[in-house]
Structures are given as C-alpha cells and as structure tokens.
Amino acid sequence: MVVNGRPMKRMKTRVTADLYDFLTFPASAPGSGSPLPFRANIKAFLATHALVPPPSSLFPHLMTWQILFRVGDVATTEASPDSFSATVCLDVVEEDVARSRSIYCDQCRVVGWSGNPVCSKRYHFIIKADGNSIGGCHKPCARCGDMQHLSDLRCKTCYHVTTADDVEDWVYHQLEDTTHLLHGVVHSNGYGHLLRVNGREGGSRFLSGRHIMDFWDRLCKALNVRKISIMDVSKKYGLEYRLLHAITEGHPWYGDWGYEFGAGSFALTLDAYKLAVDSLSSLPLSDILCEGCRPHTRLQDLITFYQSLSENKLVTMRDLFCFLMKLIHDAHKSRPVTDNVSYKKPRVSASGDVNSWTSADVERVEEAMFRVLRAVSESNWVNSRSLRGAVCRGGPPELLDHCLQELAGKLVAEGMVVNARCHPVSGIVQYRLEPQNVSVTTSCDDTVVANAKCPSEEVLMWDLKFLYESLLHPQTMLSYGSDGTRDAAESSAAKLLDCKQFVKDYKPEKVSGGSPYPAWSLLCQLELVDQSEENVPDPPAELLVLPLDATVSEVKLEVARAFQDLYLAFRKIQVEELVGYSGVDDSTRAKLLLESTGMVRFRGRCLGKNVNSKFRMERGIERWTVDCSCGAKDDDGERMLACDVCGVWQHTRCSGIHDSDAVPAKFVCHRCRVPTQMSQSGGQCKDETVPPVSGNNGFGKSLATPL
C-alpha cells in the first residue's frame, strides 16, 4: 500500500467532497414537467441516491436505505486543514404496512384523512441526533445496555440471549424516538406527516431548524408528495411557539414554508383562527398602560421600558413582541462563543499568556460577585477594585478581570440585575443590584463596561417569558384593561393554542414544464360500487403518467394497477367503466378524449372481501359517533369520552372536565341526563383504559410531534 504525504484531514476532505451537500440537495425534482407520482418517484430516488440495503436484512418489512451528506464548504475545508466538513446520515425506512405492528395512522385520523384507505407502504425519513444510522450493525443489549452486534445471539457482558423480538423492538423504538433531528413519514399515496424537527435547541450540533426545514421542503418537492401535515407543539425559549409566532408574524413558524391552517380542535375554523390572530396581535398597549396614569405595576413598567428603548412607537401587542424578539436575535448574534465543560477556549492575557477557563470557572466567580453585591445595601455602589479584592481567591487575575468586564447586565435571582456605572469624579467602574427593568446608563465615554441601556440576552429572555405569561397565555394572563378586553384576549389566545394541525398542499398535479418523456398526465378518481357500508369515502384521486397513444382500455388497466399497488384493500380491484363516456369504444385513444378534462372518474369493484377488510380506512374498523357541543363531528386528537347511555363521544373539556382531572367512572351527556336512563357502567375515554374511581390519572391519548 502506497501512502502519499497528504495529511489525513485532506484525505477526509476528498471523501466528504464526493457526498451530496445537505444545504442544497436535492437540486431538482425528478420527472419535472410531466411529474411522476410519489409512488414512482420514491423508488427512482432510492435507486439513484441511496445505498442499497443488504439482501440478508433481518426484517424485510423494515428495509432501511441510507444517504450520506456533507454539511460545510469543501473549498473552505481544503483551504484550512484544521476545519472539517460534518456529515449527516439520512435513513429512509421502507415499512411494509401489512406486516407492521401499527397498521393505522393516528396522524391521518386527527388531521381529517381518516377516510383514506390504508396504504401498502410507508416511508420514514429520519436523521438521528447522534449522527448514526438506524440500519447500523450494533444495538444496545436489552438487559445491560452494552453495545452488541445484531448478529450476536448472546451479550458478551451479561450473557443475555438476544431474540428476534428484541431486535425488532429496538428497530421500532428507533421509529418512535423523539430525539431525531428530522422524522417525516409519507404514505405511498403521497400524503404524509412531519413528525419531528429538532434544531440546535433540540440537540443538533451543525444544523439549525431552518436548515432541516429547507431540506425537508426541497425533498418533498422533488418526490412530488401531495400533502404534508404537522402537529405544531413546538416550543421556543420554553414557550408555545405557535402562539408567539402567530402574534409576531401572523402565522405559525412552519408557515414560512407554506404550511397553512389544516384543522382546528374543538371545531375551530380558518376564519376563527385568522380572527384570533388579528384581534390579539392588534390589541392596543394603551388598554394596559391606562394613559394619563403613572405606571405602577411590573407589567406596565416593563412595557414602558421597552417603549423607551424603541426608535419606533410600540402601539400594539405585535409591535411589543416583534421588538423584543428582534432584541433577543440581535443579542444572540453579538454574543461571544461561550465555553462548555468539554471544551476550553484559550484566552490571551495582558502578558501574552494563554489561559483556559471553562464555563464552570466563570459561573463560580460570577456567583461569588453576586453574593458580595447582595450583601451590600441596594443604594450603595461597589467599585470594581473592592469587588475584585473580595473574590480574589476565586480564580486567576485574568479570569477576575474577564468576569468584571462581562458583569454589567447579568441577571440575578429574584428579578434583580447588575447595574454598572463610571464614577463621575474618579472614573472607577462601580456595580450594584437593581430591580430588573431599571434603565442603565453610563456617564463615561471611555468606560470598559458595555452600555447597559439595552438589557442582556438573559434579561431579555426573562422579560419575554414574563410578558408572554402575562399577556398571551390564557391560563396565566393577568387582568388588564376592561373585563371585556381581557376576556376577548383570553379567548383569542386559547383558540390559537387549540389550532395545532397545519398542512401544506404541494399540488404535484399542477407542476408544468417541458416533459422529456413522450407521455401525458391524467388525474384519476376511482368510484367503488357494491360497498356494503354507507358513508365510506372514495380513495383520493391518483396521478397517472400515460403513453401518448394509450387507449381507454389501457388506461383502465393502469388505473387498476395503480390502486392495487397503493392500497391493501384494493389488491383485487377491477376497473369497469369510464364514467360519462359509456358509449366510447375501449380502443379510442385516451389523450384525444380526456386531455382537456383535468380529472376523470372511473367506476370499479373489488373482487372478494378485501374492500370491507380492516384496510379500508385509516381510522380502522372502529365505528364511533362524535357530536360535541363545540360542533366537532370527528376525532380531532383531543381527549374525549363517551356517554354511557347513547355512546356518543364528546370532549372532556366541553363536558366541564378539566384536562388534569381523571375521567369519571360514570358519565351521561346533557342530552341523556334523565334519572331513568342512568347507566351503571363506567365512562370511557377515547383510546384509553378507564382508571378506577380512586385513580388520579385518566389522560386521553395525545399525539406527540416534538419540533
């Protein structure tokens, strides 16, 4: 083996240079112009870009494909050998639904797609937080947790015998892991769900939430997905971001990528959502400040303080939170890179020596300085020399000087903040603790202390949380203005929190352009006959790409093949009729007949009993009736319970049962509340087991979509 003189960094760079760039992939959509449906695009995509899984896969119904990406500029990496290009692994898990542990999709049920037939395939797109692949060769032992090879029959540490069920449990656990940076699932019919996005706040080292969303959006366009839903339960700075972002931007964070209102809990509509956004974001701050009166509450002081900082007038609730978010963003961008426990950043002292301090060292010295300032009367200032001498044993002189320079604006417990000034005569920097929102200024032009007129990022975060809880969150909202104003604000905020389902319609059938293929597209709707059950919706229309000379008979065969391939319930579907063209001969060229129609309907029947099987609808074989006082007529993912008399489901909240309260053992709705109709059977909460009367639990099922 011949080894050249190039360093290993350069060799690694040459390897990563051959990978796709995560920040730009995929550059273009396959089949653009005459768009192929998702079921065809995903197969071509995996064959072109992914690593072929081993043929001896342990679980062929959970086939895992892998695509490696680089994150970083290769040119920059080559110019600087000390830098590196990070790699990201995308796992695409092809799940055979017929052999899956979970046949039905809960996300489809709550977003309004429960009437869709069960698809034959589901594709999971996953980026793990640890950078590894789901299809790796190692897994933790079920007993001791030590890593072992998948082929090992016995753990080498604890000698636990590994069964096939253990391995399968581990694989399914990977699909349910909430720490993934990205987890999206798309059914073979093109309907999908974005289950999880975790950026830097969620543990990502290289990728921000926007990087991940940009990648996901490009991928969905390239694969020609149809619709993607998202249950927005994400948080920013520990606050419900769907409420905060709706106030500042008028739509959820996912709206930046085209996600719009999909379905609201408690029968909320798009108009109700828009009205709630407008009414809460346009609420005048003057209703809170009581113009003409001296501010006397902390809330009024805080609003007045930020109004004084802003160059533009802060008139409405949206103005206030937009300005505060801008300050936080600017403070974060200007913040120097801080240390963590595992990384020591070198600092150069005045003598030229290099010192290394961890974040624990800085925090220890700062806490010592806080204790000194607490011990001093609030009206007295402590000069920097005295403060430095009081904590001189806490660390080297360079560390003490660094902490003194960064002390101004630091947030202390109990709502106090460190204020700093230059003495007007001596010019010595002085410190003291003051209430959090007192404006801080300096009287020295050449002071080493930063102008503290604008609070630090820590203080800004503290203020944002206080304002959010005082003005926006319905459960903690303070009383302000008139009773009517406060009630309207509380109602609007509650509606925004109840709107979690957002959907993006990619409309792949409307993609246009010059097609490189001699083909044409046709959107086909299938109408089933001889259905034994009533109110069963027809499957969604499917896009077909047909040869230019295809006849009506050949189109019928293609429609049958497409629906047989897509849905488990239609494996024996037979297309019999082109609706509206009963007199047309099957040998007629379909393009001349149907090209200008947009969408055509076909009528067919399923041979055998498959049409009435458990695969007919995503909602499953259960049949329930939802008729809540709020107007809800279907399952929306919120906690429900059924009446013991009529069996009709309704929300626990609408029935006067708080979300934190247990489900009663006996429940009768208001329609059946007649003494002679009282039943002795226990009440039941939808999708859960009823707890005993003395139990303190009883929470209904909720869908998890952490972002």
Side-chain angles (χ1 to χ4, degrees):
M1 178 179 177
V2 179
V3 180
N4 58 27
R6 295 178 180 176
M8 293 300 294
K9 291 281 187 178
R10 292 293 300 275
M11 296 179 66
K12 182 178 180 180
T13 299
R14 294 179 62 189
V15 174
T16 57
D18 296 332
L19 302 179
Y20 299 109
D21 186 359
F22 184 88
L23 303 180
T24 59
F25 179 90
S28 61
S32 60
S34 179
L36 299 173
F38 172 79
R39 68 178 188 278
N41 267 337
I42 184 62
K43 296 177 182 178
F45 176 82
L46 294 176
T48 304
H49 303 291
L51 298 177
V52 180
S56 58
S57 176
L58 292 175
F59 303 103
H61 59 287
L62 290 171
M63 195 73 70
T64 302
W65 307 72
Q66 301 170 10
I67 307 177
L68 289 176
F69 299 94
R70 58 178 172 83
V71 181
D73 189 355
V74 176
T76 303
T77 307
E78 292 179 348
S80 178
D82 293 332
S83 63
F84 66 93
S85 181
T87 57
V88 173
C89 179
L90 172 68
D91 288 317
V92 182
V93 181
E94 181 180 351
E95 181 181 8
D96 187 347
V97 179
R99 293 187 287 175
S100 173
R101 291 184 176 181
S102 178
I103 296 176
Y104 307 115
C105 178
D106 288 334
Q107 285 77 18
C108 280
R109 186 181 65 187
V110 300
V111 79
W113 304 338
S114 62
N116 288 357
V118 177
C119 291
S120 58
K121 299 284 186 181
R122 281 196 291 255
Y123 295 89
H124 298 261
F125 300 85
I126 296 175
I127 298 178
K128 294 187 64 177
D130 59 8
N132 296 323
S133 170
I134 289 179
C137 298
H138 294 82
K139 62 169 285 293
C141 173
R143 176 183 291 177
C144 67
D146 287 351
M147 299 302 296
Q148 64 179 100
H149 198 276
L150 291 177
S151 61
D152 292 341
L153 300 179
R154 187 185 298 270
C155 177
K156 297 179 180 179
T157 303
C158 66
Y159 304 105
H160 172 71
V161 177
T162 302
T163 64
D165 289 340
D166 291 337
V167 180
E168 190 173 9
D169 288 342
W170 174 77
V171 174
Y172 275 105
H173 175 72
Q174 301 302 302
L175 299 182
E176 300 170 358
D177 195 337
T178 61
T179 64
H180 296 323
L181 303 186
L182 169 68
H183 187 182
V185 58
V186 184
H187 304 277
S188 55
N189 63 358
Y191 287 78
H193 317 280
L194 180 56
L195 304 180
R196 195 159 293 109
V197 172
N198 285 314
R200 290 195 175 96
E201 290 189 14
S204 173
R205 295 177 57 197
F206 310 109
L207 302 173
S208 66
R210 288 196 169 272
H211 288 152
I212 299 173
M213 279 300 301
D214 287 340
F215 170 81
W216 172 252
D217 195 51
R218 292 192 304 270
L219 186 63
C220 289
K221 291 176 181 177
L223 295 176
N224 284 343
V225 303
R226 304 182 70 173
K227 292 182 180 181
I228 298 294
S229 75
I230 171 68
M231 176 181 279
D232 186 2
V233 292
S234 58
K235 291 193 175 185
K236 184 80 168 180
Y237 313 129
L239 312 175
E240 286 82 358
Y241 205 30
R242 65 184 181 280
L243 174 57
L244 183 60
H245 202 276
I247 297 302
T248 58
E249 302 296 335
H251 56 76
W253 181 70
Y254 299 98
D256 292 345
W257 291 270
Y259 286 79
E260 300 176 344
F261 177 89
S265 301
F266 305 99
L268 291 173
T269 62
L270 174 60
D271 291 338
Y273 176 79
K274 290 182 177 179
L275 182 61
V277 172
D278 293 339
S279 60
L280 189 57
S281 60
S282 61
L283 184 69
L285 296 178
S286 57
D287 291 350
I288 307 170
L289 294 176
C290 300
E291 291 184 351
C293 301
R294 177 180 176 83
H296 55 84
T297 67
R298 182 187 176 192
L299 176 60
Q300 292 171 327
D301 286 341
L302 199 57
I303 295 174
T304 304
F305 171 69
Y306 284 106
Q307 284 180 327
S308 67
L309 289 184
S310 176
E311 298 179 355
N312 302 316
K313 284 189 175 182
L314 304 184
V315 179
T316 64
M317 198 86 76
R318 172 170 291 172
D319 296 337
L320 175 63
F321 281 96
C322 283
F323 179 65
L324 192 53
M325 293 293 286
K326 181 180 181 301
L327 291 179
I328 293 175
H329 181 263
D330 294 343
H332 184 77
K333 288 178 61 177
S334 61
R335 182 180 62 181
V337 179
T338 57
D339 301 355
N340 54 49
V341 176
S342 61
Y343 174 72
K344 294 186 177 182
K345 179 181 177 182
R347 296 179 177 86
V348 181
S349 64
S351 61
D353 298 331
V354 177
N355 302 289
S356 296
W357 314 315
T358 65
S359 58
D361 296 332
V362 176
E363 291 174 1
R364 185 184 68 255
V365 174
E366 288 180 347
E367 184 57 36
M369 293 180 176
F370 294 157
R371 289 197 297 269
V372 174
L373 295 178
R374 289 194 195 100
V376 179
S377 175
E378 292 186 4
S379 59
N380 295 330
W381 293 88
V382 179
N383 64 54
S384 57
R385 294 177 182 174
S386 300
L387 187 57
R388 189 177 186 275
V391 298
C392 62
R393 296 183 179 181
E398 293 80 7
L399 175 58
L400 302 181
D401 293 338
H402 168 77
C403 292
L404 285 173
Q405 292 177 5
E406 302 292 332
L407 194 61
K410 289 286 184 179
L411 185 65
V412 189
E414 301 176 355
M416 304 297 285
V417 67
V418 178
N419 196 357
R421 73 168 188 179
C422 287
H423 191 276
V425 178
S426 64
I428 298 176
V429 181
Q430 298 178 317
Y431 304 91
R432 73 177 180 186
L433 296 181
E434 294 184 354
Q436 179 180 343
N437 298 301
V438 174
S439 178
V440 184
T441 58
T442 61
S443 57
C444 252
D445 294 334
D446 55 349
T447 177
V448 296
V449 182
N451 190 339
K453 180 180 180 182
C454 182
S456 66
E457 183 180 2
E458 189 178 9
V459 174
L460 291 170
M461 296 291 298
W462 192 287
D463 290 346
L464 175 65
K465 182 178 180 181
F466 174 77
L467 290 172
Y468 174 88
E469 294 176 346
S470 302
L471 299 176
L472 296 183
H473 201 282
Q475 296 181 2
T476 57
M477 190 180 294
L478 299 179
S479 297
Y480 53 80
S482 62
D483 293 338
T485 300
R486 200 269 184 190
D487 292 342
E490 181 181 359
S491 175
S492 297
K495 290 177 180 177
L496 294 181
L497 289 177
D498 287 335
C499 294
K500 309 182 188 75
Q501 300 290 344
F502 299 92
V503 176
K504 180 171 182 178
D505 188 350
Y506 283 86
K507 298 182 173 65
E509 67 276 3
K510 293 187 178 181
V511 177
S512 60
S515 173
Y517 309 106
W520 62 291
S521 301
L522 183 66
L523 198 60
C524 303
Q525 181 75 54
L526 181 62
E527 178 183 315
L528 296 176
V529 297
D530 296 338
Q531 293 195 103
S532 61
E533 298 186 44
E534 298 181 356
N535 301 322
V536 177
D538 292 328
E542 185 59 26
L543 185 67
L544 298 183
V545 179
L546 303 164
L548 297 176
D549 58 350
T551 64
V552 173
S553 176
E554 291 171 338
V555 172
K556 290 180 181 179
L557 291 176
E558 286 299 323
V559 172
R561 290 193 190 101
F563 283 88
Q564 289 169 1
D565 182 51
L566 279 174
Y567 302 113
L568 295 172
F570 300 157
R571 290 293 174 86
K572 296 182 180 181
I573 190 73
Q574 179 178 317
V575 177
E576 300 175 342
E577 180 184 352
L578 176 58
V579 178
Y581 299 88
S582 56
V584 176
D585 190 87
D586 281 355
S587 62
T588 305
R589 288 185 61 182
K591 187 175 188 298
L592 300 176
L593 184 66
L594 306 173
E595 184 178 21
S596 61
T597 58
M599 183 174 70
V600 295
R601 296 182 65 86
F602 292 84
R603 187 172 290 128
R605 68 180 69 246
C606 282
L607 306 179
K609 299 181 180 180
N610 282 355
V611 69
N612 299 319
S613 70
K614 61 182 179 180
F615 303 120
R616 182 59 186 89
M617 291 192 294
E618 286 285 5
R619 68 184 296 175
I621 58 177
E622 300 178 31
R623 297 295 178 262
W624 63 78
T625 301
V626 177
D627 188 8
C628 187
S629 59
C630 68
K633 302 297 182 183
D634 201 356
D635 186 5
D636 57 7
E638 302 295 339
R639 191 171 71 150
M640 292 184 176
L641 78 169
C643 173
D644 289 314
V645 177
C646 64
V648 175
W649 295 86
Q650 55 189 291
H651 295 115
T652 54
R653 185 201 297 183
C654 299
S655 303
I657 303 173
H658 194 271
D659 291 341
S660 61
D661 294 339
V663 177
K666 181 168 55 181
F667 173 75
V668 179
C669 68
H670 68 280
R671 300 184 186 91
C672 304
R673 208 160 287 164
V674 179
T676 57
Q677 294 178 316
M678 295 292 289
S679 172
Q680 300 302 317
S681 60
Q684 188 176 172
C685 190
K686 190 169 183 57
D687 296 331
E688 73 173 4
T689 303
V690 181
V693 178
S694 59
N696 58 1
N697 53 4
F699 292 94
K701 183 174 182 178
S702 61
L703 299 177
T705 311
L707 290 173

